[in-house]
Amino acid sequence: MKLNPKFKVFSDEFTKNPYPAYKNLRETEPVLKMRFPDGQEGWIITRYDDAVEVLKDHRFIKNVSKLFGGSMEHQSIFMHNMLFSDPPDHKRLRGLVQKAFTPQMISGMRGRIQEITNDLLEKAAGKETINLIDDFAFPLPIIVICEILGVPAEDRNKFRIWSNSLIEGSNGEHAAEMFQHMNEFILYLSEWFEKIRKNQGKDLISQLMMAENEGDHLTERELFGVVTLLIIAGHETTVNLIGNSIPALIEHPEQLGLLQNQPEIIHNAIEETLRFNGPVEFSTSRWASEDLDFKGAAIRRGDLVIVALNSANHDPLQFKDPEIFDITREKSPHLAFGKGIHLCLGAPLARLEGEIAIKSLIQRFPDMKLNISKDQLEWRPGMIVRGVKEIPLLLK
């Protein structure tokens, strides 16, 4: 079945608004073999039930070295974490990280997150316009995750550069720059770990180094992988959650007004934003560990399989009127944070930051408006996150 060229996947039109293409795919080729922007061939899954099945099926594995042997050195360093591992390694790694990254630690951050939010809004209060990303959506979660990890304040912007490079390098166009930044990142982490070994504190990195589970510790490579995952996932998701929420609310003034009048429904509003235009466009890569027939598609051992999370979250077989942004929607089983054993460990932190940030922002600046048209928003490249580069806001 040939797609309408107007809705070609990964075109500029698709990046601006992928949802018509997703609708087309769900109805015509829900399991589609295609070439991705980085040159790899693989399968894209767009229906909700199929997506859940792939995310939970042990035959779709995360550790590609099981199929093809070792990969490039730098990639392997960053991939030694629970996101790119399968049982029993996954359970072991997640268990060690959970000993340090606890729900109690996250909930204990509420007061500090509110404090950082208030400081950022106070700086914005004297301005007529701000860039929501640079002035608010980025600084908030990067300050939070850096404080949790123990990163010096003066190094925060380096992490933004490195993180952006790793995320946006996934489309193949920025590969050389990405590898340069990976080298810088590895060198920084190596020196940082050495300092912490000599003087451990109460930060999360110190806790990870000390974390033990039945006599087991994180190896050096695993520490690289886990810290990279926490830094990138620890702020990228929240940046784009905030960045996608505010335009959606401004574009739906009745929903914005409802939330301003009933701030207690902020949790529902966050869940609807996660479903309606989630911050993570696609799942990370999985590979078929054996030949299998999946919904009529002949998927072969070693084939790359990726779930279009935002398409699954617009499947009308799962969500009533999925194209409608409704913050009063009943409890939503969306897939914004994945499903199964790889459900995002940092989801509670992202939700907490999102709730505090958005609730505080719309109360402080109730009349804010986009300072450009929605069509002028420039969406970030890459195959992982869905977010815009900048959002000019008129505050008064």
Side-chain angles (χ1 to χ4, degrees):
M1 190 76 66
K2 193 171 182 180
L3 284 176
N4 184 328
K6 184 182 177 183
F7 296 138
K8 188 177 179 183
V9 179
F10 302 120
S11 65
D12 290 342
E13 291 82 4
F14 174 87
T15 303
K16 286 181 180 178
N17 179 15
Y19 297 102
Y22 286 148
K23 181 176 185 292
N24 192 326
L25 284 171
R26 287 192 305 269
E27 292 173 354
T28 60
E29 292 186 272
V31 182
L32 173 71
K33 191 167 190 180
M34 61 173 298
R35 186 179 296 276
F36 294 109
D38 61 2
Q40 291 189 87
E41 285 191 359
W43 300 88
I44 183 169
I45 312 296
T46 50
R47 286 181 181 166
Y48 183 92
D49 286 345
D50 297 347
V52 170
E53 194 168 330
V54 168
L55 295 174
K56 296 177 76 172
D57 192 328
H58 67 275
R59 295 175 300 175
F60 296 105
I61 64 174
K62 300 301 294 287
N63 185 353
V64 66
S65 65
K66 289 181 179 178
L67 296 170
F68 305 116
S71 56
M72 287 182 290
E73 179 71 10
H74 288 157
Q75 281 189 328
S76 65
I77 285 175
F78 290 121
M79 290 171 69
H80 275 70
N81 59 56
M82 53 277 189
L83 186 60
F84 298 103
S85 61
D86 304 297
D89 292 336
H90 173 270
K91 183 177 180 181
R92 172 185 156 270
L93 287 169
R94 191 167 177 121
L96 284 165
V97 175
Q98 279 179 323
K99 283 185 172 291
F101 200 71
T102 63
Q104 292 80 8
M105 183 272 285
I106 293 169
S107 63
M109 289 293 297
R110 177 178 287 274
R112 180 58 184 143
I113 294 170
Q114 185 68 64
E115 196 175 281
I116 297 166
T117 299
N118 292 346
D119 288 346
L120 291 170
L121 293 179
E122 190 60 37
K123 288 177 185 174
K127 302 175 182 177
E128 188 173 329
T129 62
I130 63 167
N131 174 357
L132 179 67
I133 301 298
D134 285 352
D135 295 330
F136 187 66
F138 168 74
L140 172 59
I142 199 68
I143 291 170
V144 172
I145 196 63
C146 284
E147 287 190 0
I148 289 173
L149 291 169
V151 177
E154 63 270 19
D155 292 336
R156 288 172 191 154
N157 205 52
K158 292 179 184 176
F159 283 92
R160 181 183 192 178
I161 293 168
W162 294 331
S163 174
N164 280 350
S165 186
L166 287 169
I167 291 287
E168 295 177 5
S170 64
N171 71 352
E173 292 179 17
H174 308 276
E177 186 179 46
M178 181 182 76
F179 284 116
Q180 177 194 334
H181 288 149
M182 287 166 76
N183 280 324
E184 294 171 3
F185 194 21
I186 289 167
L187 180 62
Y188 181 93
L189 290 180
S190 298
E191 293 174 351
W192 184 21
F193 293 163
E194 195 55 40
K195 288 177 187 174
I196 291 176
R197 283 193 184 90
K198 293 174 182 174
N199 186 22
Q200 290 190 346
K202 294 183 178 180
D203 56 85
L204 183 58
I205 302 299
S206 297
Q207 297 299 310
L208 287 169
M209 286 182 169
M210 293 186 289
E212 187 172 353
N213 196 4
E214 298 178 359
D216 189 19
H217 293 80
L218 291 169
T219 67
E220 180 83 356
R221 280 173 172 263
E222 289 165 352
L223 201 54
F224 269 110
V226 167
V227 170
T228 302
L229 177 63
L230 291 173
I231 289 170
I232 294 176
H235 83 275
E236 282 285 358
T237 305
T238 307
V239 171
N240 298 304
L241 169 56
I242 297 169
N244 294 354
S245 293
I246 297 304
L249 286 166
I250 291 173
E251 192 182 356
H252 299 85
E254 76 291 346
Q255 299 290 303
L256 176 58
L258 184 63
L259 184 57
Q260 286 169 330
N261 291 327
Q262 299 180 47
E264 66 276 9
I265 65 170
I266 183 63
H267 178 75
N268 262 46
I270 293 295
E271 296 308 303
E272 178 64 351
T273 296
L274 288 165
R275 184 204 67 81
F276 184 72
N277 196 18
V280 182
E281 185 84 54
F282 297 99
S283 70
T284 46
S285 302
R286 285 166 170 76
W287 285 266
S289 62
E290 60 187 68
D291 291 350
L292 54 109
D293 178 83
F294 187 80
K295 313 301 176 185
I299 296 179
R300 294 291 167 253
R301 182 180 186 274
D303 280 3
L304 171 64
V305 180
I306 290 177
V307 171
L309 299 171
N310 280 348
S311 174
N313 289 336
H314 277 243
D315 190 337
L317 297 178
Q318 179 65 41
F319 302 96
K320 183 181 178 184
D321 299 323
E323 306 306 323
I324 294 176
F325 180 62
D326 178 10
I327 64 171
T328 65
R329 191 179 292 271
E330 293 294 314
K331 183 175 170 61
S332 173
H334 64 73
L335 303 180
F337 291 117
K339 193 80 172 177
I341 64 170
H342 291 285
L343 183 71
C344 178
L345 185 68
L349 178 60
R351 283 185 165 105
L352 179 61
E353 289 172 327
E355 288 183 15
I356 292 172
I358 293 162
K359 182 178 177 180
S360 301
L361 181 66
I362 67 172
Q363 294 292 342
R364 185 68 179 265
F365 302 112
D367 300 319
M368 64 183 172
K369 294 177 176 62
L370 284 179
N371 207 21
I372 58 173
S373 72
K374 182 190 170 190
D375 292 339
Q376 290 177 294
L377 293 173
E378 185 181 356
W379 293 87
R380 294 174 61 185
M383 273 192 58
I384 300 174
V385 301
R386 176 156 182 78
V388 288
K389 290 187 175 181
E390 51 183 57
I391 303 174
L393 282 185
L394 190 62
L395 299 181
K396 302 171 184 177

